[in-house]
Amino acid sequence: MLSCGVLLHQRRPVDAVLALLRHDGSPDLPKGHVKRGESDLEAALREFEEETGIDRDRIVVDASRTFEATYRTRSRKTGQLVNKTVRVFKAEVEGPVVVDVEAHRDYAWLRTDDRPALEAALVENPTFLGAVEALLHRETV
């Protein structure tokens, strides 16, 4: 099972990454499954637009900068344990930008200059934290 998504980074008005908040309050990246005939990047951008309301033309994607993690999870269809891979592309946006979430409870901009707070916010999503560390370079997180 493969999902592709976007780690959105803005430098202004504050240096931060976008987190979507699930209904239980836990953080998530805008991501989803690749449809037949889509490339990984096309799927990531489609899901990004659907989940944030931000037009893909507003962001600059560096397709050479990706992060990938694989973990075990339960399939929503069968309930069986499966391997899930998440491939995340790094993108930048000139802020501020309006975010319109429908499938999530809310969103938050997580500051990258406060590493303890960032790690605390992402403790429930190690894939998200790994993407932040890998794609923004350790010295900026």
Side-chain angles (χ1 to χ4, degrees):
M1 179 182 327
L2 174 65
S3 287
C4 293
V6 172
L7 174 70
L8 184 62
H9 178 225
Q10 74 171 7
R11 296 188 189 278
R12 294 185 325 217
V14 296
D15 200 282
V17 292
L18 178 65
L20 302 180
L21 302 178
R22 297 178 182 128
H23 293 285
D24 66 0
S26 62
D28 197 13
L29 288 164
K31 66 181 182 334
H33 297 284
V34 179
K35 292 182 178 178
R36 188 182 320 264
E38 276 185 321
S39 70
D40 293 353
L41 180 56
E42 289 169 337
L45 291 172
R46 175 182 50 77
E47 290 289 341
F48 172 80
E49 272 187 329
E50 289 174 4
E51 294 186 7
T52 67
I54 301 170
D55 190 292
R56 68 181 77 187
D57 293 336
R58 288 271 334 257
I59 65 174
V60 177
V61 178
D62 183 350
S64 70
R65 303 273 311 278
T66 62
F67 171 79
E68 189 172 295
T70 301
Y71 56 91
R72 301 280 287 167
T73 189
R74 292 219 176 266
S75 167
R76 289 184 191 171
K77 291 180 183 177
T78 67
Q80 295 187 346
L81 282 174
V82 295
N83 286 330
K84 180 175 184 176
T85 299
V86 176
R87 185 166 297 131
V88 181
F89 294 89
K90 181 182 186 288
E92 298 272 342
V93 66
E94 280 295 320
V97 64
V98 175
V99 181
D100 180 19
V101 294
E102 289 185 17
H104 291 80
R105 184 180 85 186
D106 205 354
Y107 71 95
W109 287 101
L110 305 177
R111 294 178 66 111
T112 61
D113 62 356
D114 185 349
R115 184 175 180 116
L118 186 62
E119 287 179 353
L122 298 178
V123 70
E124 295 180 51
N125 193 326
T127 301
F128 195 163
L129 183 58
V132 169
E133 290 177 336
L135 296 177
L136 297 184
H137 300 295
R138 292 188 185 278
E139 65 273 9
T140 64
V141 176

